[in-house]
Amino acid sequence: MDDDGTRGVRGPSADRAPGPAVPPPPAHPPRVPHPATGTDPADRNPGDRNQADRYPSGPHPGPPAEQRRPGAASAPPVEHRPAEPVASPPPGSPVDAWLRTPRPQQEPGVWRYGYTPPPPEESERVSDRSLLVGALIALLSALLLWSLWRNGYLPYRLVPLKLFTPGEWWNPGTSGGPRTIEGSDALTVYEAILFGLLAYGCGRIGNFSELFRRHVAERGQPFLALAAAAAAGLTQLLVWKETLPVVRPVLVLVASVAGGEIYQSQTVVNVIYGLIAAAVLWPFARLGRWRELIAARRGDGPAPTPADSPAPTTATSADQWPELRAAGWTDAADTLTAEVRTGRMNDVDVARLRHAWTLATRRPDRLGPLAESVLRTGGAAALHPSGHRDLPRRTARHDVLTGQVRIGRCADDPHNPYVRRGTGLALDPALLGTSLLAVGPPGAGKSARLVRPVVEALALRALAGQAAVLAVGGAGEPLGPDEAFDVVVRVGHPGSAHDIDLYGGTTDPDEAAAVLAEGLVGDVGSLDSRRAATVLAQLLGPYRAAHGHFPSVPELRELLDGTPAAFAGLRASLEAAGHHAMLRELDARSRQAGGPGDPAPALADRVALLDRPTFAGFFATGPDARPFELRALGQYPLRVRVDLPERGHAEASRLLTRLLLAQFTAITAARTDTSLFVCLVLDDATHAVTAETVRGIRRLRSVNAGAVLALRTVDDVPEALHTPLLGAVGCTAAFSGITTWDGKRFAEAWGKEWVETREVAQHTVFADQPFTRALHALRKLVTGKAVTTDAVTVRQVEKERWSASELAYAVPSGHAVIRLANVDGEHAPPLLVHLDG
């Protein structure tokens, strides 16, 4: 690909993005083996047109460059960008099935991939002991009642029957029995009906259905079928022994309908007996699911559909690219469908091509080149400038189609709403757009379980052309391998290919002074950063007018110290060039130097932290400078990592972190094209947050950007900024092990909720009657407690969602309490999450 001579160049122009700091590509594209035969198909070259489709105008980020010292020779340009082999899909989860998996819209933070709603919340569960005792009592009561009925101990038991039958069938009196055969038959049917009603009432009162579901049905097959068969055999025995009134009432009813002569045929009698036996067995067969069990044993029943089996393909299924077919590009859709079915595309390819098609539909002149590129290269069309199609390694579960990364699972805890218990918790750009603050002590898992998965998710979206990420951490922090980034800046490392631009790539002295002052002395509460910015502007403006660039670190330190030789040389250069306005700026700085409250000494002391032998060659500003310009993040989907020397130069690392945060908030707020989501991830934001950056973080959500800040404690931020910071971010995470002081701030930020409380007061019962007093005395002698009554008071009170003590002592290890909100204003309550990222 023609790079217009911009490859490897890192000058001050903000329109040129540096090349990724990874090894150079091979001379020829790799051959991807066919998944079925293992043979190599025709070589596929993404070509220059693919890159032109993705970036139709302006220079592009160059190919991976070798790790080299600043000033080393640039790598020679290459003509074509090869495509890397497609990463194989996860086992048991092909791309077509992944693409068709439902992702229903849910509340913020719910892991949408394959989400299924939980069953309705059950009422208070009755204990097994109470259930068994209740069923036994109901059964004994029913047996006692039936025994009293059969033995004639219940008065007026025949009165309802006599009201609906002729009087000549019965003997006189309310308890008189049947006089005729018809009366005996009516009594037989009457008893059968009453027995059915008694059995039904016993089953409902004893809750036998719940007992059966809990102790029989939940155990599954074959226990369910065997238990039903045993119950059916016992019931058949009781029926034919006439313990249960079934056979005789049926015979009576058949004789009354068809006449008694029907029983003269033995065949008819056998048929009736067979029907009675089948009718008794039928409900047990339904309960035991005998038909399903037999069909499964024979193997001719419907086989259960596995979760990962492909769904039936239709004209509008997701893996057939319906958006392309609707636009009339059937050939391109067929090509991508074949790529998906044969496993030559991964999830990043699908997300990248969908995004490229969305961008192309906004400019119809790009649809034709994109479709042609798809026909030529298939899933390798519209590649990322680096040529990568996936990350070298993933440590978390990602759904690139929605941009979500799963970081944990909501615990089964009373603090969590029922619908969120057991569901996955995920982060996406809509949540990160409100910024995220994570607080936890060292070892709580902030880096490995939160920061690293977020960086991976943003890097995957960058490969899909939808995001740019800047990850800042200490050297050796687990933010990802070098191959997962396009640019790697190792501050203080002699082999680093890139530097940091202290001035943010701007050419405006006032803008550069404001950002630099915030990075240098923004954490000094006694010093006004606006006065510090004025001092820097009085030096940066004249120096740039005289030399065409901003001063390097040693030169800036000399000017801030007020060295006479530095001032004299700068004045002579301005006089020779005729910059009279800048001479007035320099004279003003000379008059104010050394006055009370002059911020120049404090600025010089902070600049001295960067003027060390370790940083020699870094932060250069001349024509040979090779800084990475932060403005490129808003123009290209770059993956950038900055390693800071925290161990040997802690103060310098904090200064650079503060400077990068100030530059990020200033640059992203000023960009006009906000189609690309840009995110800054600070693995350690200690002493990096200032009043100005808090105001900048508030503005990020309106420009499609966000920041992730990790702190060991909230006290790493000035006390005056505790409340503004917690109010500026939409997402907060309190890890296990925080102090009660930190917990108090989170509890105040999360607010309160209305809950129902029950207060139980016990009052002693005083008896008036002698017999009652005797019973109470006997009960107290046996139990050792006085007889009391409970007075229950139920009321609504406002209570903290999580108290400071609960956050400090009730959050288990490996867990965090996370509160989420998205850019649309939707929010989720603080949830206790088991982090498995």
Side-chain angles (χ1 to χ4, degrees):
M1 184 182 70
D2 187 8
D3 60 0
D4 297 331
T6 62
R7 181 166 299 152
V9 178
R10 286 180 283 144
S13 174
D15 295 332
R16 297 181 178 181
V22 291
H28 302 284
R31 306 176 72 88
V32 183
H34 193 276
T37 61
T39 59
D40 293 337
D43 291 339
R44 298 194 174 192
N45 186 6
D48 300 343
R49 183 172 298 179
N50 296 341
Q51 302 302 323
D53 294 340
R54 176 60 183 88
Y55 303 104
S57 62
H60 318 304
E66 293 185 353
Q67 301 289 346
R68 54 188 179 272
R69 297 174 182 266
S74 302
V78 293
E79 293 299 327
H80 300 287
R81 186 181 308 282
E84 292 190 349
V86 181
S88 58
S93 178
V95 178
D96 55 349
W98 168 84
L99 189 58
R100 292 196 304 270
T101 301
R103 296 166 176 84
Q105 290 291 339
Q106 292 297 322
E107 297 179 358
V110 176
W111 175 250
R112 294 169 50 190
Y113 178 76
Y115 173 81
T116 55
E121 185 176 6
E122 298 180 357
S123 58
E124 186 176 354
R125 183 183 176 95
V126 181
S127 64
D128 292 344
R129 179 179 179 181
S130 300
L131 194 64
L132 291 172
V133 170
L136 181 61
I137 292 176
L139 179 61
L140 294 178
S141 301
L143 292 177
L144 176 62
L145 187 62
W146 182 248
S147 176
L148 294 176
W149 168 271
R150 294 296 299 269
N151 292 283
Y153 290 106
L154 294 180
Y156 311 107
R157 63 190 186 96
L158 299 181
V159 172
L161 180 61
K162 292 180 179 181
L163 292 176
F164 296 96
T165 55
E168 59 270 14
W169 289 5
W170 310 97
N171 293 320
T174 56
S175 60
R179 178 188 298 178
T180 62
I181 297 177
E182 291 83 358
S184 299
D185 294 343
L187 179 60
T188 300
V189 176
Y190 179 58
E191 286 184 346
I193 295 175
L194 290 180
F195 179 81
L197 295 176
L198 181 63
Y200 176 78
C202 174
R204 292 298 300 271
I205 296 175
N207 205 0
F208 279 87
S209 60
E210 176 66 16
L211 187 66
F212 175 80
R213 183 189 64 81
R214 188 180 302 183
H215 296 283
V216 179
E218 288 185 354
R219 301 184 65 174
Q221 300 286 12
F223 181 82
L224 176 61
L226 294 177
L234 178 62
T235 304
Q236 289 280 7
L237 178 63
L238 296 177
V239 166
W240 297 112
K241 289 289 186 180
E242 297 190 359
T243 304
L244 300 179
V246 176
V247 177
R248 187 177 295 275
V250 172
L251 296 177
V252 170
L253 290 175
V254 172
S256 63
V257 174
E261 297 81 4
I262 193 174
Y263 295 120
Q264 295 179 0
S265 173
Q266 186 63 34
T267 303
V268 173
V269 174
N270 293 337
V271 170
I272 294 176
Y273 285 167
L275 292 176
I276 294 175
V280 173
L281 288 178
W282 180 77
F284 294 99
R286 291 289 303 273
L287 290 176
R289 302 175 183 174
W290 294 351
R291 183 178 180 181
E292 299 177 9
L293 181 62
I294 294 173
R297 295 293 184 183
R298 291 180 177 178
D300 54 358
T305 304
D308 56 351
S309 62
T313 58
T314 61
T316 58
S317 61
D319 65 323
Q320 291 196 351
W321 303 84
E323 59 273 13
L324 273 70
R325 299 183 187 277
W329 300 97
T330 307
D331 293 341
D334 292 339
T335 300
L336 294 180
T337 301
E339 293 276 301
V340 170
R341 298 288 175 81
T342 56
R344 292 183 56 83
M345 289 181 64
N346 59 11
D347 53 354
V348 178
D349 295 331
V350 174
R352 186 186 69 252
L353 290 174
R354 281 195 167 190
H355 179 67
W357 181 261
T358 303
L359 295 179
T361 54
R362 300 173 185 173
R363 296 184 58 179
D365 58 316
R366 298 185 183 180
L367 291 176
L370 178 60
E372 181 183 353
S373 177
V374 169
L375 292 176
R376 288 191 299 106
T377 61
L383 272 181
H384 184 265
S386 65
H388 296 168
R389 299 172 66 176
D390 200 355
L391 297 180
R393 182 166 56 93
R394 302 186 188 183
T395 60
R397 293 182 60 187
H398 299 270
D399 185 19
V400 188
L401 207 59
T402 59
Q404 286 190 317
V405 52
R406 179 186 170 111
I407 62 172
R409 175 181 50 83
C410 296
D412 188 4
D413 187 85
H415 286 91
N416 295 341
Y418 172 77
V419 295
R420 299 301 298 268
R421 297 175 190 174
T423 61
L425 190 86
L427 297 176
D428 56 52
L431 298 173
L432 298 178
T434 64
S435 298
L436 169 66
L437 175 66
V439 179
K446 300 188 301 299
S447 298
R449 300 183 178 183
L450 180 64
V451 175
R452 173 70 180 272
V454 168
V455 172
E456 280 186 4
L458 294 172
L460 288 173
R461 288 189 71 82
L463 292 178
Q466 304 176 43
V469 57
L470 172 61
V472 181
E477 294 295 335
L479 296 181
D482 294 350
E483 295 79 8
F485 296 92
D486 303 316
V487 176
V488 178
V489 181
R490 295 185 175 89
V491 180
H493 193 281
S496 178
H498 303 276
D499 304 339
I500 292 180
D501 188 355
L502 296 180
Y503 305 101
T506 183
T507 58
D508 185 0
D510 293 330
E511 182 181 352
V515 176
L516 184 58
E518 197 67 31
L520 292 177
V521 294
D523 62 328
V524 181
S526 59
L527 187 62
D528 188 359
S529 59
R530 290 174 295 181
R531 292 191 59 189
T534 302
V535 171
L536 289 172
Q538 291 173 344
L539 297 174
L540 297 181
Y543 190 94
R544 179 172 179 80
H547 300 281
H549 58 82
F550 290 121
S552 62
V553 169
E555 294 168 335
L556 180 59
R557 181 182 181 185
E558 291 180 354
L559 292 174
L560 290 172
D561 284 333
T563 305
F567 268 82
L570 181 57
R571 183 182 300 275
S573 300
L574 292 174
E575 291 176 350
H579 296 290
H580 301 290
M582 294 302 172
L583 280 172
R584 289 195 300 270
E585 288 283 297
L586 191 61
D587 292 339
R589 172 85 289 267
S590 300
R591 290 192 304 270
Q592 297 171 5
D598 183 18
L603 290 170
D605 291 342
R606 289 299 178 88
V607 173
L609 295 175
L610 304 179
D611 189 17
R612 305 298 302 165
T614 304
F615 305 127
F618 280 83
F619 317 122
T621 58
D624 297 332
R626 304 171 61 88
F628 167 73
E629 296 170 0
L630 208 60
R631 294 179 182 273
L633 286 175
Q635 303 171 5
Y636 303 103
L638 292 177
R639 303 165 294 165
V640 184
R641 193 188 76 202
V642 178
D643 295 342
L644 301 176
E646 290 183 344
R647 296 175 181 175
H649 303 273
E651 288 298 327
S653 298
R654 293 173 181 175
L655 187 153
L656 293 174
T657 302
R658 190 164 53 249
L659 178 63
L660 289 173
L661 178 58
Q663 289 182 357
F664 180 82
T665 55
I667 291 173
T668 53
R671 64 179 183 147
T672 57
D673 183 8
T674 60
S675 59
L676 198 68
F677 178 74
V678 184
C679 188
L680 169 67
V681 181
L682 298 181
D683 190 53
D684 185 6
T686 302
H687 300 297
V689 179
T690 64
E692 184 61 30
T693 54
V694 169
R695 287 189 287 269
I697 290 174
R698 288 197 185 100
R699 296 191 296 264
L700 292 179
R701 68 176 66 190
S702 62
V703 292
N704 197 21
V708 178
L709 310 177
L711 295 171
R712 295 182 178 91
T713 174
V714 182
D715 290 331
D716 289 339
V717 177
E719 185 175 359
L721 298 179
H722 290 174
T723 301
L725 177 60
L726 289 172
V729 298
C731 304
T732 49
F735 284 72
S736 61
I738 65 172
T739 63
T740 53
W741 291 273
D742 288 343
K744 180 181 179 181
R745 298 181 181 96
F746 280 108
E748 293 175 351
W750 292 338
K752 300 179 179 180
E753 62 179 345
W754 289 98
V755 296
E756 185 180 275
T757 61
R758 294 169 56 91
E759 296 180 358
V760 180
Q762 293 183 342
H763 303 283
T764 304
V765 178
F766 297 96
D768 296 331
Q769 301 298 326
F771 181 72
T772 307
R773 286 199 298 269
L775 290 179
H776 287 185
L778 178 62
R779 179 176 176 180
K780 183 176 181 179
L781 179 64
V782 174
T783 62
K785 298 180 181 179
V787 179
T788 60
T789 58
D790 294 340
V792 181
T793 303
V794 180
R795 59 179 180 176
Q796 296 284 335
V797 298
E798 200 174 17
K799 181 182 177 182
E800 291 178 334
R801 300 178 184 272
W802 282 83
S803 66
S805 298
E806 288 175 331
L807 289 173
Y809 303 111
V811 179
S813 177
H815 290 66
V817 181
I818 302 178
R819 187 257 186 187
L820 300 175
N822 60 17
V823 293
D824 295 330
E826 299 177 336
H827 60 85
L831 303 171
L832 179 63
V833 181
H834 176 255
L835 301 170
D836 54 12

